[in-house]
Amino acid sequence: MDILVVEDSTSLRATMSHIIKEAGHTALQAESAEQALALLKEQSPDMILMDVELPGMDGFEATRHARKHLGDNWIPIVFLTGKSSDQDYLRGIEAGGDDYIIKPVSAVILKAKISAMGRIVEMRNQLQKLNQELEALSQTDGLTQLYNHRTFIHLAQKQWGQANRSGQAVALIMLDIDHFKLYNDHYGHPAGDECLKKVAKALEKVAKRPGDIIARYGGEEFIIFLTDTDAEGARQVAEGIRAEIEALQIPHAESPTNTVVTASIGVSTCSSTSARRLNDTIKHADVLLYNSKNHGRNSVSVDQYLPSKTILLADDDPFIVKVISSQLGSHCKVITASNGLECVELTRENKPDLVLLDIMMPEMDGLEACRQLKDNKETARIPVILISKLSDQDQLQKVKKSGANAFLEKPIEELRLLSKINHFLT
């Protein structure tokens, strides 16, 4: 073990270091609490012998700081002191200490304490190793060693959020081994398990970027999340996977469509994850997977996932309409209106998921249009976001009275617009 001796007495520090070396361990030394805490930032000892009576910061305070720095990484801390009252013991335990050695230090007692703490450290290490193994087992599929369904969803949700913040494109690949039940019935389940293992290796061979997430989704179905990947890139990966599985040349005598094991693949691509949900994209990929099955199997079907959400944009400025429509076009369906009256009529007819409404418009302004929409039972629950170049207090008061759900000031940055819309559409 590496044992840190924190002691201001040079002779006592040297004596204890010698005893530690005799016991077969390595001694690290610090002559003050400050020096010890600085050392802890660079090294991780297995045990600390802490003098209580140190100049400046005492051993109790140093231990409190050490425990805070170490966090969940527990290591034994043994106090060295000439004080032996019950109150001193209590202070030491409350500060985070684990044991006491009364000065003058006996070599026999010090070695015994080190041996006892060493056993505890060893048990801690074994427990940490077991916990790590259990964590790994809980995250992976026991047969293929890929991520399991639950872990895939957890990791993919994180990547989904990151893609939303960065504006990156992503893709979901769903894969199913063709006629796998027939394969199992003919060759037996042990052979089926070996087949699944080989397919898993093929997936890892093709989708090998650090950010890609591969999982066994269930049975003979696999799923892959591709980060920062456009539609063409996703198609290439999927075709590579299909070819790699076919190239395994695993005989499949019972397959009605091929002599070897093949896979059908569905790929759902997203140019942006904003205003979309991971679960809907997975369902879309599953639909495309069955499209591949219905078209002869051993094939890839790719399509962009476009959400079914509809936004009505009302603004009399053609340039603003063009810009915002372009920003929203890949995220949802956009209906446009050039004035308040048209906005109210189209909202009643189409029941959009959200209305983006400019305040300053001819015939009927956005404030009045918003009030009419909120007063109508059929349209009252549709979120309305008012937009305007003006943002003075009088204007904001009018916005509040109109019943609008939110307000955006022009010019509107794309990320700000998408973030606000996404809040109401998800």
Side-chain angles (χ1 to χ4, degrees):
M1 292 192 298
D2 290 337
I3 301 175
L4 172 60
V5 180
V6 188
E7 170 62 62
D8 62 319
S9 169
T10 304
S11 60
L12 186 52
R13 195 167 62 247
T15 298
M16 287 192 294
S17 296
H18 178 71
I19 296 171
I20 289 168
K21 290 176 183 177
E22 279 189 338
H25 304 290
T26 301
L28 307 173
Q29 298 185 31
E31 62 183 20
S32 68
E34 291 79 8
Q35 193 178 87
L37 293 173
L39 187 145
L40 283 177
K41 293 179 180 179
E42 299 177 358
Q43 295 178 258
S44 181
D46 300 294
M47 178 178 172
I48 299 176
L49 297 173
M50 178 76 73
D51 184 23
V52 172
E53 296 88 7
L54 291 168
M57 185 188 301
D58 67 18
F60 294 139
E61 185 64 22
T63 297
R64 279 189 281 268
H65 283 286
R67 287 296 184 209
K68 186 176 181 180
H69 168 73
L70 293 167
D72 293 333
N73 180 27
W74 175 87
I75 62 173
I77 299 178
V78 178
F79 287 118
L80 307 168
T81 181
K83 300 177 180 180
S84 58
S85 69
D86 291 348
Q87 191 62 33
D88 291 321
Y89 274 100
L90 180 60
R91 283 188 66 197
I93 296 301
E94 289 177 345
D98 299 292
D99 206 344
Y100 253 81
I101 296 179
I102 305 299
K103 294 180 181 179
V105 176
S106 161
V108 174
I109 291 177
L110 179 56
K111 288 179 181 179
K113 295 285 187 182
I114 291 173
S115 179
M117 291 299 168
R119 289 194 294 270
I120 297 174
V121 169
E122 181 58 29
M123 287 188 287
R124 176 208 64 185
N125 293 341
Q126 290 178 1
L127 181 60
Q128 287 178 342
K129 184 180 178 182
L130 285 172
N131 285 336
Q132 289 170 357
E133 291 173 354
L134 286 171
E135 179 66 19
L137 286 172
S138 71
Q139 292 180 349
T140 56
D141 169 59
L143 178 65
T144 64
Q145 300 306 304
L146 299 176
Y147 287 121
N148 57 29
H149 186 133
R150 180 180 63 84
T151 305
F152 173 85
I153 296 298
H154 175 69
L155 295 176
Q157 285 286 10
K158 285 187 174 181
Q159 291 284 27
W160 190 267
Q162 176 60 37
N164 189 21
R165 290 187 290 273
S166 63
Q168 292 180 342
V170 300
L172 259 296
I173 297 177
M174 291 286 287
L175 176 150
D176 190 271
I177 299 176
D178 294 326
H179 308 295
F180 190 68
K181 184 178 185 304
L182 295 177
Y183 184 93
N184 264 341
D185 291 345
H186 182 73
Y187 294 100
H189 288 283
D193 289 347
E194 287 303 312
C195 175
L196 290 171
K197 290 179 185 178
K198 290 177 180 178
V199 169
K201 292 296 182 185
L203 301 184
E204 291 180 311
K205 187 176 179 180
V206 180
K208 53 188 178 182
R209 296 182 308 168
D212 296 340
I213 307 168
I214 312 172
R216 184 183 178 191
Y217 208 59
E220 67 273 23
E221 196 168 45
F222 297 84
I223 189 167
I224 304 171
F225 186 99
L226 299 177
T227 59
D228 194 16
T229 305
D230 61 14
E232 183 54 34
R235 181 184 292 277
Q236 290 179 11
V237 172
E239 284 289 355
I241 289 170
R242 185 204 61 76
E244 192 69 31
I245 293 172
E246 188 174 23
L248 292 172
Q249 290 294 293
I250 302 172
H252 193 343
E254 295 298 307
S255 173
T257 56
N258 211 304
T259 58
V260 296
V261 168
T262 58
S264 297
I265 301 174
V267 185
S268 178
T269 66
C270 288
S271 58
S272 169
T273 61
S274 179
R276 294 166 169 81
R277 295 189 303 176
L278 173 64
N279 191 50
D280 292 337
T281 311
I282 292 174
K283 290 178 181 178
H284 184 234
D286 201 38
V287 170
L288 294 168
L289 164 62
Y290 280 90
N291 182 63
S292 293
K293 285 179 175 290
N294 293 332
H295 287 80
R297 301 179 187 255
N298 191 26
S299 62
V300 174
S301 297
V302 182
D303 195 14
Q304 183 177 10
Y305 170 62
L306 293 174
S308 57
K309 302 292 185 181
T310 300
I311 290 181
L312 191 151
L313 169 61
D315 198 308
D316 63 318
D317 186 334
F319 177 75
I320 295 294
V321 170
K322 182 179 179 180
V323 170
I324 295 181
S325 295
S326 176
Q327 292 173 343
L328 299 178
S330 62
H331 305 279
C332 54
K333 181 181 177 182
V334 180
I335 302 172
T336 62
S338 58
N339 59 64
L341 283 172
E342 188 179 9
C343 171
V344 172
E345 291 174 5
L346 288 174
T347 301
R348 289 172 179 170
E349 291 174 7
N350 294 276
K351 303 297 190 301
D353 298 283
L354 184 143
V355 175
L356 196 59
L357 180 57
D358 185 36
I359 289 179
M360 306 300 292
M361 288 192 296
E363 297 185 47
M364 179 190 292
D365 65 19
L367 294 169
E368 179 58 30
C370 181
R371 280 191 287 268
Q372 290 197 18
L373 291 175
K374 291 301 180 180
D375 287 341
N376 187 303
K377 290 183 180 180
E378 294 183 355
T379 58
R381 293 189 177 184
I382 298 175
V384 176
I385 300 176
L386 290 176
I387 56 177
S388 175
K389 292 181 181 179
L390 303 175
S391 60
D392 57 80
Q393 287 301 313
D394 183 56
Q395 184 81 295
L396 291 174
Q397 285 298 321
K398 291 179 179 178
V399 168
K400 290 180 181 179
K401 291 180 180 178
S402 71
N405 301 84
F407 172 76
L408 283 171
E409 184 179 358
K410 293 181 180 179
I412 308 171
E413 295 178 0
E414 183 175 359
L415 286 177
R416 188 159 59 96
L417 173 64
L418 295 177
S419 174
K420 184 68 73 173
I421 288 174
N422 195 45
H423 173 76
F424 290 103
L425 294 185
T426 57

